[in-house]
Amino acid sequence: MNFHCDPITYISQVNLKVQNIERSIIFYKEVIGFKVLEQSERTAKLTADGKSVLLSIEQPDDVVPRQGRTTGLYHFALLLPTRSDLAKIVLHFEKIGVQLGSSDHLVSEALYLSDPDGNGIEIYVDRDPSEWNWNNGEVEMTVDPLNFSDLLSYGKLQSWKGLPAETVIGHIHLHVSELKRTEEFYIKGLGFEVVNRFGTQALFISDGKYHHHIGLNTWNGVGAPTPPPNSVGLQLFTLMLSSEEKKNKIIAQLKAVGASVTEENGSIVTTDPSGNRIRLNSLV
């Protein structure tokens, strides 16, 4: 099953703020493997397939460095189509000397790194959903060591040529200030369901029984403040909904839980209880 297309609600784009647009463009092209679709003096829209924008980066006026112990981005995650694609990018990172974290989550195999501003990035590949273990409505996930020897022996490894065209935003993981109101916003407001509770400090939610489209954690501290608007970090992310009817239903649900819903440049934007901004788009 494809968990990143109609009728699933999924993340189609992430917008980040950076300190130096030229430095970030070089990083996202040469290290991560994006192509530049559009570029201006202070912005760039990045793509894997040459058509769809997955990542938009912007250098705000009077930008300040990423703020510690605040809400906002923990990481955004690029989902690769095949395990051999993950192996290729491992070899690419090794060749250019990139420092990596890694993990086997049972549902997926993942690499972790940060951009020059400290914005977290995960690059991963899913295991087949038939291999995911579900117990009482929750999917089993863990943080085990990644078996690089097995990964790098998988398939025929060809030279790295950037992100595959089929790459999508697999999920986003956010720092939030608390979980109770946050859960209400994402479940009763946006219509996701909880698929994993990681102790009392993290929550994983999805649509259509994916292992998670959104992760939420309080690891920066309960009551963590929202960073200033000109801070490096997350500007917003876009949720793609299957229809205008579904979007209108979600807008009504958001208003019912007391969430803000505003129109910005022709788009509907809502804000979670921790100040993370979300744009609502529909396919029809």
Side-chain angles (χ1 to χ4, degrees):
M1 179 178 179
N2 191 328
F3 296 99
H4 300 87
C5 67
D6 180 34
I8 303 294
T9 297
Y10 62 95
I11 295 159
S12 61
Q13 182 178 322
V14 173
N15 290 42
L16 297 181
K17 295 170 286 184
V18 299
Q19 279 191 279
N20 184 306
I21 191 70
E22 292 297 335
R23 179 181 67 177
S24 292
I25 289 171
I26 291 170
F27 171 83
Y28 281 107
K29 282 175 61 179
E30 297 183 2
V31 177
I32 304 301
F34 277 109
K35 304 177 184 73
V36 176
L37 190 63
E38 296 179 25
Q39 183 177 347
S40 68
E41 185 179 355
R42 286 183 173 266
T43 65
K45 295 182 178 180
L46 307 175
T47 180
D49 64 4
K51 298 177 291 184
S52 305
V53 179
L54 295 182
L55 181 66
S56 178
I57 53 177
E58 178 179 355
Q59 178 184 328
D61 293 332
D62 303 318
V63 63
V64 296
R66 181 180 175 87
Q67 308 292 292
R69 310 295 289 178
T70 60
T71 62
L73 184 72
Y74 180 48
H75 62 247
F76 71 94
L78 298 171
L79 174 60
L80 304 181
T82 70
R83 198 171 186 229
S84 62
D85 291 316
L86 190 66
K88 288 176 196 174
I89 205 165
V90 167
L91 294 174
H92 161 66
F93 287 152
E94 182 181 49
K95 183 178 179 180
I96 62 176
V98 172
Q99 294 290 313
L100 287 177
S102 62
S103 190
D104 185 329
H105 294 302
L106 298 183
V107 295
S108 63
E109 296 172 286
L111 309 174
Y112 295 93
L113 68 160
S114 295
D115 76 3
D117 291 292
N119 292 309
I121 305 165
E122 177 180 343
I123 300 175
Y124 74 110
V125 62
D126 277 333
R127 286 199 168 90
D128 191 280
S130 65
E131 299 178 46
W132 304 351
N133 294 318
W134 291 84
N135 295 297
N136 298 318
E138 292 198 13
V139 66
E140 185 180 354
M141 294 192 285
T142 190
V143 185
D144 290 338
L146 184 63
N147 188 335
F148 280 99
S149 296
D150 183 67
L151 175 63
L152 296 178
S153 68
Y154 186 84
K156 295 180 180 179
L157 296 180
Q158 301 172 349
S159 61
W160 181 80
K161 296 179 181 177
L163 291 174
E166 300 83 5
T167 302
V168 297
I169 301 292
H171 63 266
I172 194 166
H173 195 152
L174 304 170
H175 289 296
V176 297
S177 59
E178 55 80 52
L179 289 180
K180 186 177 179 181
R181 287 193 308 129
T182 298
E183 181 174 341
E184 181 183 58
F185 172 88
Y186 283 96
I187 306 307
K188 293 183 179 178
L190 289 175
F192 288 99
E193 65 174 338
V194 176
V195 289
N196 183 278
R197 294 182 188 274
F198 196 76
T200 59
Q201 296 183 324
L203 197 63
F204 296 90
I205 64 177
S206 78
D207 187 27
K209 293 295 182 181
Y210 190 48
H211 56 72
H212 68 294
H213 289 103
I214 301 175
L216 305 158
N217 75 69
T218 56
W219 298 333
N220 273 351
V222 173
T226 303
N230 60 333
S231 167
V232 158
L234 181 67
Q235 184 180 54
L236 58 75
F237 64 94
T238 301
L239 282 181
M240 187 61 71
L241 310 171
S242 58
S243 65
E244 195 71 14
E245 181 182 7
K246 187 171 184 179
K247 184 170 79 172
N248 290 335
K249 179 184 176 183
I250 285 175
I251 289 170
Q253 290 173 180
L254 288 166
K255 290 179 178 178
V257 299
S260 70
V261 179
T262 60
E263 185 173 341
E264 296 182 17
N265 302 317
S267 295
I268 299 298
V269 176
T270 186
T271 305
D272 79 6
S274 300
N276 296 304
R277 301 173 70 244
I278 304 156
R279 180 167 53 201
L280 305 178
N281 278 356
S282 61
L283 289 167
V284 180

